Structures are given as structure tokens and as C-alpha cells.
Amino acid sequence: MVRKTPKKLLKKFQNEVNNTIYDFSDCSICGICCKDETLTMKEPDINRISRKLAIDKKSFLNQYTHYNIETEETVMNMPCPLLKDNRCTIYDIRPEICRNFPVFILEEGIVIINNIEECAKATHFFESFLDFCSKRYQDHYKNLIKNNHFPKSDSSVKNAVLPIKLIAAFIIWLNKD
Ligand code: SF4
Ligand code: SF4
């Protein structure tokens, strides 16, 4: 059975990752994440944003989202109607998933770097991570590559799935200066 990481700890680590990426990887403001991603909305997101837009929840859901029957999740319409001139019009209160994009920490103890091919932020983060691994964890890194635990940088795989411990070590290394 997979041991789950406590939610509070996950949130703390996710915030730390978000802040590190914000300082370290430049966003090219291409807007791809707001035009062509599956962004799941949580209840607090829906409440907060509908309040800000001064519309009731039902109108917000009808106007801006749709329901995915297969995953049973509320998903933002794409391209996101809240994007104007490639800028988020609700940036300060954007949904949690938008704040976390493109690196997601999951409770199963894994980290997903999303859309490495297209997102400049994700590409920079992933390339630097590989660089860190090759310098710091040579044997471990070789074994991970050998066992296909994560794709090489030239792989056509869009998302990297990585062990949380390795990303934690990378974040500490990035923040050490
Ligand atoms: S809410 Fe903002 S950040 Fe999120 S998809 Fe829409 S425009 Fe992009
Ligand atoms: S896809 Fe990546 S680089 Fe482009 S706007 Fe989104 S976060 Fe920034």
C-alpha cells in the first residue's frame, strides 16, 4: 500500500516549490497553460472566484466551467474565459491548480512536471533538475534513467513523474545560495 503524505505537509512543500520556481524559472507568458490544459476547479476556487466576479455559483459554473463525467470533476473551459491578452484577469485569486502549474506534488509521494515540451517554465525546471541529478547523484541518477523512473530531457514524453525526495533535495540545493 502506498503511504500518503499528510496534506498539510504537501501544501507547505507545494508552496515552497511554487516560490522557488517563481524566482528561478521565467514564465514566457505564452498562455498555453490557460488555453490548452485540463484545469480542475475545487470548491474553494469556485466560491472565491464567483464572489470576486459578483455572480452566483451556478452562473459561474455555467459560464466558465464544465463537468467531466468520467473523472467527476469540474474543469475550467478552455481557452480560459478569464484570460485577456495572455494575462490572467483574476491572477491574485486564481485557482489552486493554476498557482501550482507546472509542478504538482501528489500525496502518493510523487511529483509531476507538466508539459515539459511546451511550457518554458517546466522545461527550465526539468533541465536544471537533470543537471542537478547528474552532478550530485551520479549513480542514483543513472539507475533512475536505466530503470525508466523518469524520462531523459530529449524524450518525447510530455510529463515527468519523479520521486518527491529527489525534488526536495533539488529545491534545497536551488535555495542554498
Ligand atoms: S484562471 Fe487565470 S491562470 Fe487560471 S487558466 Fe484562467 S487565465 Fe489562466
Ligand atoms: S505554459 Fe508555462 S511558460 Fe507558458 S504561460 Fe503557462 S506557466 Fe508560463
Side-chain angles (χ1 to χ4, degrees):
M1 198 176 81
V2 180
R3 240 174 93 196
K4 294 196 171 178
T5 314
K7 281 202 167 78
K8 235 178 165 177
L9 209 65
L10 278 182
K11 203 167 177 180
K12 206 171 159 212
F13 186 48
Q14 178 78 61
N15 285 341
E16 180 124 6
V17 170
N18 293 354
N19 291 338
T20 304
I21 298 183
Y22 185 82
D23 291 341
F24 159 83
S25 297
D26 276 343
C27 170
S28 63
I29 318 179
C30 62
I32 287 172
C33 52
C34 309
K35 292 173 192 161
D36 194 23
E37 286 291 339
T38 306
L39 300 176
T40 308
M41 308 281 288
K42 292 187 178 164
E43 198 63 25
D45 297 321
I46 295 164
N47 292 338
R48 187 176 65 250
I49 300 167
S50 56
R51 246 194 335 265
K52 173 78 178 180
L53 298 176
I55 53 175
D56 61 66
K57 242 166 85 172
K58 200 172 164 201
S59 309
F60 173 76
L61 291 171
N62 286 339
Q63 221 176 311
Y64 296 94
T65 72
H66 60 276
Y67 189 70
N68 184 325
I69 297 170
E70 276 173 31
T71 60
E72 298 182 347
E73 287 170 335
T74 301
V75 182
M76 196 62 132
N77 291 342
M78 287 284 129
C80 177
L82 295 162
L83 185 74
K84 296 277 175 300
D85 301 324
N86 259 8
R87 299 271 177 181
C88 176
T89 52
I90 53 154
Y91 188 78
D92 290 343
I93 56 149
R94 66 199 184 285
E96 188 184 335
I97 194 165
C98 304
R99 280 201 303 275
N100 297 343
F101 191 89
V103 180
F104 302 107
I105 320 292
L106 307 190
E107 57 184 13
E108 292 80 7
I110 56 170
V111 176
I112 296 182
I113 307 180
N114 197 264
N115 207 344
I116 295 166
E117 282 177 337
E118 294 177 319
C119 170
K121 232 173 162 180
T123 309
H124 186 202
F125 188 75
F126 184 60
E127 293 289 345
S128 306
F129 168 73
L130 290 183
D131 190 38
F132 159 76
C133 287
S134 64
K135 283 181 186 143
R136 295 278 161 150
Y137 293 95
Q138 282 183 3
D139 291 340
H140 187 49
Y141 172 76
K142 276 183 208 146
N143 283 336
L144 285 170
I145 291 284
K146 204 169 100 200
N147 298 326
N148 281 328
H149 277 288
F150 53 84
K152 294 175 189 171
S153 54
D154 60 352
S155 160
S156 58
V157 178
K158 275 179 88 175
N159 303 330
V161 181
L162 303 160
I164 199 166
K165 279 185 183 168
L166 215 47
I167 289 290
F170 175 50
I171 295 295
I172 291 169
W173 184 75
L174 280 177
N175 287 323
K176 77 182 182 322
D177 293 330

